[in-house]
Amino acid sequence: MFKFRLKITHVLFISFILIYIITYLLNNPWIEIFELKTLDLRYRIRGENKIKTDVIIIAIDENSLINMSTKFNDEWPWNREHYARMVAKLFKLGIKAVGFDVSFTTPSESNIMSNGKSKDDILLSAILRKYNKVVLGTYLTVEKKNFDEYNPEFRKELEKNKYYLKYSFKLKNPEYLPLFYPLTAYKIIPPIPEFSSLVPASTYEIGQLDPDGVARGLPLIFKEEWALEKGYSTGLFPHMDIILYAFYKNYDINNFIFDPKNYQIQIGNENIKTDKNGSYLLNFYGKGKNIFDTISFYDLVYSNKYDNYDFKGKIAILGYSATAKGLYDLRITPFSNNEPGVYLHATAVQNLINKDKISRINFFYTIIILVFVLLLSLLFTSFKKIYIKLISFLIPITYIFVSYILFKNNIWIDTFYPLLSTLSISTIDTVQSVLNESREKKKIKSFFFKYVPDFVAQKLLEQGKTELGGEKKNVVLIMSDIVGFTEKSEKLSPEDVVRFLNYYLSQMADIIRNKYYGTIDKFIGDLIMAIFGAPIEFGDEVDRAISCALDMRKKLKDINIELKNMGFDFEVNAGIGMHYGEVIIGNIGADFRMDYTCIGDAVNTTSRIEHLTRELNEWLIVTGEIVKRSNKYKFEYIGDFKVKGKELPLKLYRIKEGDKNE
């Protein structure tokens, strides 16, 4: 009986963890669907959160459709004159920015003049030129074949319309971009050039729904393959909602930066986190119509009903309401089965303004939590007495309470699966205990200590910091310094010094890191220190370092040509010192700031050798330790030189161009 019980417990414990991991890795939705429902339940328990909003909705509703038809004989889609009137009136009433959850991707067909232009388009263009804190909607061509099937003339016009490209994201840590999977379309269909040349245009897509068909987030970043394919931009663009937020905060909308390493958008002085798909998890306040002031389009534009309403400093979003018959734009949300999409945009903008984003605990920490609560359940069930075992049922109850408290503080911790697994473990163990209470404790303990420990995670959780440390290692060290840079820099403005250094160091660092796989240790002004042989050894460190130095020398010719094009009236030359020796290398620093670097006599020796390049009028000087280990290059003896910190003189050499085999 004992062996049978131990086996069942073992299988359950391992199975719960493995099922969760495998389900996550395979993107199987069944656990996620149940988890999403628990999130909705938390919303329902919390109820609507009435807040003071900074976003208002201008509704294309039934009232507007009827009045525009009867009083202007204007059926949907309306003449653009009406939108021009709306924008002008809103800004006169003090609105901060306006977003259009509709698109104007083709010229108007109404009020056409003799030159073929529409008076409506001309009027709206004039208004947008005057009031340019407006974001116009675009829609997306999902696949290339759809775009290729467009009328050739229309396609040609679309390809000429590139104004929206200037709002694309700049990239930080671009090497992590392959780990980013945003909403992707082949081509953005922007508003006509008369509009997109004046104001930003961006998608209003809600994006992919959750596995249960509910909209709980939207993409703050989307990708256009066409722009990337043509080399016009990074191909990544901000969503309409984050541009509206940038307008609200008076940020520069031409300076959106995305960091795929940390999945965060940098705008102004803020970092806005997304998930690996660029999606932003919404924090719903309630049904949109109960939270956000909703104003009928017709009443706003053609009546004085809202002339005394306080529009100052707010954002207005134009979109379809639930009553707009025939204009379907409804979504399912945690609070409604028929929520107009415009309220999701309003929620996103308000979340950004209030810093109200729901943050979900990531998969790694969810696994840690799952293991922890399972272990806690096993801890209680390991006791012999039944009444103590029954305490284990308090774990899921406590977990529900904690998850709800965290939710009210905008933290989403997965609840369904930990709840299911802890209840299952507790229930099965209690049933087993009734059959064989005397042996349960020993069995649970054996299981606990044999299978649970995770050294790395345990260390991180217990210590809360990364240990400092290092190792002794023989490496090749390079130090390169510009000859006479101090004198040159004194004649430059601080901005030009930075511009020069950024260009020069980038060119040299590219050769060291990307071509010869060296490690950039540090930049000290114009000095570059690089390591070959750590953290990874390839076996040819000396010859790779020499080849790198030769390429750095050759690169100076290109650099000097480019410096002239950049407006600098001088050329640069660099001296390079190279040495092989033992160092202590590793993460060195304080626990809040560390660098992967090396220290030791070899570092000081390399520095001294680099300084000798001026005195000896040599561009590259190496030590005898380098000469002894080179299998590829030939050298010429310079002489013995005494350097500070060394009792005996160093034998120094210059390189002779060409291989040993030549």
Side-chain angles (χ1 to χ4, degrees):
M1 184 64 184
F2 172 77
K3 291 182 179 179
F4 173 77
R5 185 181 173 195
L6 180 61
K7 182 179 179 181
I8 291 296
T9 309
H10 169 81
V11 170
L12 278 173
F13 183 83
I14 297 299
S15 296
F16 278 127
I17 296 174
L18 288 180
I19 288 172
Y20 190 80
I21 293 173
I22 292 171
T23 302
Y24 176 85
L25 294 177
L26 296 179
N27 291 318
N28 191 301
W30 77 268
I31 290 178
E32 183 68 4
I33 288 174
F34 285 108
E35 176 58 35
L36 292 169
K37 295 306 179 186
T38 69
L39 178 66
D40 293 349
L41 180 61
R42 278 169 269 187
Y43 272 117
R44 298 296 179 91
I45 293 172
R46 187 203 70 188
E48 290 190 339
N49 186 10
K50 296 299 177 77
I51 61 168
K52 182 180 179 181
T53 61
D54 303 278
V55 183
I56 60 173
I57 305 301
I58 310 301
I60 301 172
D61 56 0
E62 185 178 14
N63 171 64
S64 299
L65 292 171
I66 291 172
N67 278 290
M68 296 295 285
S69 175
T70 57
K71 298 188 178 181
F72 294 98
N73 196 28
D74 194 354
E75 303 294 338
W76 182 263
W78 299 327
N79 294 343
R80 290 170 186 172
E81 170 197 357
H82 306 298
Y83 300 114
R85 292 178 181 275
M86 180 199 77
V87 171
K89 188 168 185 178
L90 282 171
F91 279 100
K92 287 177 182 177
L93 292 172
I95 207 75
K96 190 73 174 283
V98 178
F100 278 73
D101 192 11
V102 296
S103 55
F104 305 124
T105 56
T106 56
S108 174
E109 297 179 357
S110 62
N111 296 321
I112 304 299
M113 301 182 296
S114 58
N115 61 1
K117 299 289 185 178
S118 166
K119 289 182 180 179
D120 289 351
D121 286 346
I122 293 173
L123 176 60
L124 184 52
S125 297
I127 294 299
L128 294 177
R129 184 175 289 107
K130 183 175 182 180
Y131 306 108
N132 57 11
K133 283 195 173 184
V134 176
V135 186
L136 299 180
T138 68
Y139 66 89
L140 308 176
T141 300
V142 178
E143 295 182 7
K144 185 177 187 300
K145 66 178 183 179
N146 300 122
F147 182 71
D148 291 340
E149 291 171 356
Y150 284 178
N151 177 283
E153 288 298 319
F154 179 57
R155 191 168 64 243
K156 184 177 180 181
E157 289 300 316
L158 286 176
E159 291 181 334
K160 288 167 54 181
N161 189 351
K162 302 173 187 173
Y163 296 103
Y164 67 94
L165 293 172
K166 64 181 178 179
Y167 304 105
S168 65
F169 278 98
K170 301 175 179 65
L171 288 179
K172 180 179 180 182
N173 297 314
E175 65 272 21
Y176 288 87
L177 207 54
L179 302 177
F180 182 57
Y181 308 97
L183 171 70
T184 300
Y186 181 73
K187 184 71 178 72
I188 294 170
I189 311 299
I192 60 175
E194 289 85 346
F195 303 154
S196 60
S197 62
L198 300 172
V199 297
S202 184
T203 188
Y204 42 62
E205 292 284 344
I206 301 298
Q208 186 174 358
L209 302 178
D210 286 333
D212 58 349
V214 179
R216 298 184 181 86
L218 50 75
L220 292 186
I221 303 171
F222 64 99
K223 179 180 178 181
E224 183 193 53
E225 292 179 337
W226 179 84
L228 189 61
E229 180 183 286
K230 300 292 185 182
Y232 291 139
S233 76
T234 60
L236 299 178
F237 294 89
H239 191 276
M240 175 183 77
D241 298 342
I242 198 168
I243 299 178
L244 285 173
Y245 173 66
F247 275 143
Y248 180 86
K249 298 286 286 188
N250 294 318
Y251 292 149
D252 180 5
I253 62 171
N254 295 295
N255 196 31
F256 282 100
I257 301 171
F258 179 60
D259 178 1
K261 178 181 179 181
N262 300 298
Y263 300 127
Q264 65 184 17
I265 297 168
Q266 298 177 7
I267 178 70
N269 58 355
E270 289 189 49
N271 291 322
I272 300 169
K273 295 284 288 185
T274 72
D275 65 12
K276 64 180 180 180
N277 306 114
S279 184
Y280 183 86
L281 185 62
L282 298 176
N283 185 350
F284 291 92
Y285 302 108
K287 287 186 177 181
K289 66 179 181 180
N290 297 338
I291 303 299
F292 299 98
D293 288 348
T294 303
I295 297 173
S296 173
F297 176 91
Y298 178 83
D299 290 343
L300 170 72
V301 179
Y302 294 108
S303 77
N304 58 4
K305 184 176 179 180
Y306 292 98
D307 287 359
N308 294 323
Y309 180 87
D310 184 13
F311 288 94
K312 291 181 180 178
K314 295 185 177 181
I315 292 174
I317 305 178
L318 172 73
Y320 308 115
S321 77
T323 65
K325 294 180 179 178
L327 305 179
Y328 186 85
D329 183 30
L330 303 177
R331 302 289 190 277
I332 301 173
T333 71
F335 282 101
S336 174
N337 290 329
N338 293 286
E339 185 76 291
V342 69
Y343 289 116
L344 274 74
H345 298 304
T347 301
V349 176
Q350 194 65 55
N351 283 175
L352 290 167
I353 292 172
N354 290 355
K355 307 294 186 292
D356 270 342
K357 179 181 182 291
I358 291 283
S359 297
R360 185 176 187 176
I361 301 297
N362 67 29
F363 174 70
F364 173 78
Y365 289 108
T366 300
I367 289 292
I368 296 296
I369 292 167
L370 177 61
V371 172
F372 174 75
V373 294
L374 286 174
L375 288 176
L376 200 57
S377 296
L378 290 176
L379 178 65
F380 282 107
T381 56
S382 67
F383 287 94
K384 194 171 183 179
K385 297 186 179 297
I386 294 295
Y387 73 87
I388 296 179
K389 292 179 178 293
L390 292 176
I391 295 176
S392 65
F393 287 97
L394 292 175
I395 295 171
I397 296 172
T398 303
Y399 191 89
I400 293 172
F401 177 77
V402 170
S403 71
Y404 179 69
I405 296 299
L406 290 173
F407 170 73
K408 292 196 72 174
N409 287 277
N410 297 340
I411 299 173
W412 173 11
I413 182 173
D414 281 19
T415 301
F416 166 72
Y417 198 75
L419 186 64
L420 173 67
S421 56
T422 52
L423 276 174
S424 299
I425 290 288
S426 299
T427 301
I428 292 173
D429 178 77
T430 302
V431 172
Q432 293 281 332
S433 296
V434 172
L435 301 176
N436 200 343
E437 183 177 354
S438 63
R439 296 182 180 180
E440 188 65 22
K441 181 177 180 180
K442 182 179 179 180
K443 187 168 60 175
I444 294 298
K445 281 187 175 180
S446 173
F447 184 75
F448 182 92
F449 290 109
K450 187 174 182 181
Y451 295 103
V452 170
D454 183 335
F455 178 75
V456 175
Q458 186 92 4
K459 201 169 187 180
L460 288 173
L461 290 172
E462 289 178 357
Q463 296 186 0
K465 63 178 182 179
T466 303
E467 285 190 17
L468 309 181
E471 62 176 335
K472 287 186 176 181
K473 201 173 183 68
N474 287 311
V475 299
V476 180
L477 297 170
I478 282 182
M479 286 192 185
S480 172
D481 200 7
I482 297 174
V483 177
F485 178 72
T486 302
E487 292 78 12
K488 293 179 175 64
S489 64
E490 288 175 349
K491 299 175 183 179
L492 300 175
S493 67
E495 293 81 7
D496 283 340
V497 171
V498 171
R499 188 161 62 97
F500 165 78
L501 283 176
N502 286 342
Y503 171 69
Y504 170 80
L505 295 176
S506 296
Q507 299 298 309
M508 291 304 183
D510 182 61
I511 294 173
I512 295 169
R513 293 178 67 248
N514 300 327
K515 189 171 182 180
Y516 293 98
Y517 307 109
T519 300
I520 302 291
D521 183 290
K522 59 176 68 71
F523 298 122
I524 305 175
D526 60 308
L527 182 141
I528 304 171
M529 176 176 168
I531 306 167
F532 290 81
I536 300 173
E537 292 184 59
F538 293 90
D540 63 342
E541 275 66 41
V542 169
D543 287 332
R544 268 193 304 117
I546 296 170
S547 298
C548 178
L550 290 170
D551 265 14
M552 291 169 69
R553 177 70 172 178
K554 293 176 183 176
K555 188 65 179 179
L556 285 175
K557 295 179 181 179
D558 296 333
I559 289 174
N560 284 324
I561 293 172
E562 183 59 26
L563 287 176
K564 186 175 181 181
N565 295 334
M566 293 169 66
F568 294 99
D569 61 355
F570 60 83
E571 294 185 347
V572 295
N573 191 16
I576 300 176
M578 189 183 302
H579 181 50
Y580 177 92
E582 185 181 81
V583 296
I584 297 173
I585 190 165
N587 287 325
I588 299 173
D591 56 4
F592 65 91
R593 172 69 184 271
M594 290 182 290
D595 289 320
Y596 184 78
T597 187
C598 62
I599 58 175
D601 180 68
V603 178
N604 298 329
T605 300
T606 308
S607 178
R608 306 284 186 262
I609 297 167
E610 188 277 324
H611 283 295
L612 282 174
T613 58
R614 277 74 162 168
E615 298 177 21
L616 302 178
N617 195 27
E618 297 286 346
W619 73 269
L620 171 64
I621 298 177
V622 303
T623 63
E625 297 297 326
I626 294 292
V627 173
K628 285 191 295 185
R629 290 169 175 80
S630 175
N631 297 315
K632 184 177 180 182
Y633 292 100
K634 297 181 290 186
F635 302 86
E636 183 179 336
Y637 178 64
I638 300 175
D640 287 9
F641 293 85
K642 188 81 170 60
V643 298
K644 185 178 179 181
K646 290 288 186 181
E647 292 183 7
L648 298 176
L650 290 174
K651 293 185 180 296
L652 301 181
Y653 299 79
R654 66 170 66 92
I655 191 167
K656 294 175 70 175
E657 300 281 342
D659 292 350
K660 283 184 175 180
N661 297 326
E662 292 181 351

